[in-house]
Amino acid sequence: MKICVASNSYNGAVRWSQLFESIKRREPGFSREDMLLACVDDGSPDAAAMQRVAEVYGAGAYTRFPVNRGIPAGWNECARLAWDHNCDVVVILNDDILVVDNWLGPMIHFVTQNPRVAAASWNIHWFKPEDVPDLLDNPTACCPRGYDGATQDKVFDPSRRASEMATRPSRIMCMAGCCFAIHRPMLHRIGPFDDQFTSFFEESDWGSRAAGMGYASYGGVTPYLYHEWAATFKANDVALRPGTRMEESRVRYCRKWGVDTGEPDCFRPVNRRLMPLIPAEEISWVGMDGQVRQRVVAQGEGVAG
């Protein structure tokens, strides 16, 4: 089995170097000889810096868009590179992700041993840029951060480490767009990402389409990865206009899925319409202790409250 680990980025040479360094240092729990690193530069002004990082870390496939085309176009290109190189699974990581030991093996088990899974994503801890050296050196020695809604800050939270052991995959309508995997047969079945979204809601749209076809996605595949969150948009606010893109994509999603554009949570009505129709299924996953477990996921699990 061959796996494509892919990342698309805009102006993210430093973030790519951190991501790829973490992949290099951590034991993936999967044969490195069967891993292809694929990179998509989504129209970065400093194209030379982007390509240099990809070359340093041995990317086996590389595409540069002449202009910024947006996240779903980049994901589609990641998938194309994966299939062109006869990969069985495409793993797509944001450039502001850092991995940990045994990060890949359990995910490959999950998406290949559960044939009705549309896509799956990891759980995440948050990090700040100042955490990067310690996370690259030894993530298990670092206190994970959670998101404090009151302060809107990422704060150290030791309880998150203890909660890792209780993690089990849960049915959701769309995977987390920052770090996910799709088995090749399922992506062919569901189809490509809608690149008219440019940024935001592209994973929601794809997950909604999968749910409408009777396939659920899952979150919470072990282990936890680390995510800075919105690093590209924070660093390129003027060039990428994230606020404008988000509103345009929200309206597009609402119109595409029959939701009033004034609905404050446009995802919930679609979830309640589609998720109850997905049948029960038995799933298999690898726990934090390395043991394979099974459970039956009931029809109706993952329906928004």
Side-chain angles (χ1 to χ4, degrees), residues 4-8 36 38-40 61 63 65 71-92 180 182-184 187-188 191-193 206:
C4 177
V5 177
S7 180
N8 60 300
L36 168 78
C39 300
V40 177
T63 296
F65 293 154
I71 292 171
W75 289 352
N76 288 334
E77 181 63 13
C78 288
R80 187 192 68 79
L81 293 173
W83 311 152
D84 282 355
H85 287 78
N86 298 312
C87 294
D88 301 286
V89 176
V90 61
V91 173
I92 297 182
F180 64 93
I182 305 177
H183 196 198
R184 181 172 185 164
L187 190 54
H188 286 323
F193 296 94
W206 192 89

Side-chain angles (χ1 to χ4, degrees), residues 173 267-277 302-305:
M173 197 165 80
F267 193 50
R268 188 181 301 269
V270 183
N271 174 293
R272 289 176 172 173
R273 185 194 320 152
L274 300 179
M275 290 297 283
L277 305 178
V303 177

Side-chain angles (χ1 to χ4, degrees), residues 101-117:
D101 282 325
N102 200 36
W103 68 278
L104 186 57
M107 177 60 79
I108 301 309
H109 172 98
F110 192 76
V111 297
T112 59
Q113 298 306 304
N114 299 296
R116 290 191 57 82
V117 168

Side-chain angles (χ1 to χ4, degrees), residues 205-286:
D205 173 71
W206 192 89
S208 300
R209 193 180 343 140
M213 298 172 66
Y215 303 107
S217 295
Y218 282 78
V221 176
T222 57
Y224 277 62
L225 305 188
Y226 284 81
H227 183 210
E228 183 180 349
W229 187 71
T232 296
F233 291 115
K234 287 185 288 187
N236 300 278
D237 181 73
V238 174
L240 298 182
R241 305 175 299 114
T244 300
R245 288 187 175 197
M246 179 177 285
E247 178 58 17
E248 290 172 349
S249 292
R250 186 192 68 81
V251 171
R252 178 174 177 79
Y253 181 85
C254 287
R255 290 175 176 168
K256 187 172 181 177
W257 291 99
V259 179
D260 190 300
T261 56
E263 173 68 41
D265 183 354
C266 60
F267 193 50
R268 188 181 301 269
V270 183
N271 174 293
R272 289 176 172 173
R273 185 194 320 152
L274 300 179
M275 290 297 283
L277 305 178
I278 301 177
E281 61 187 333
E282 184 176 52
I283 62 169
S284 167
W285 78 97
V286 179

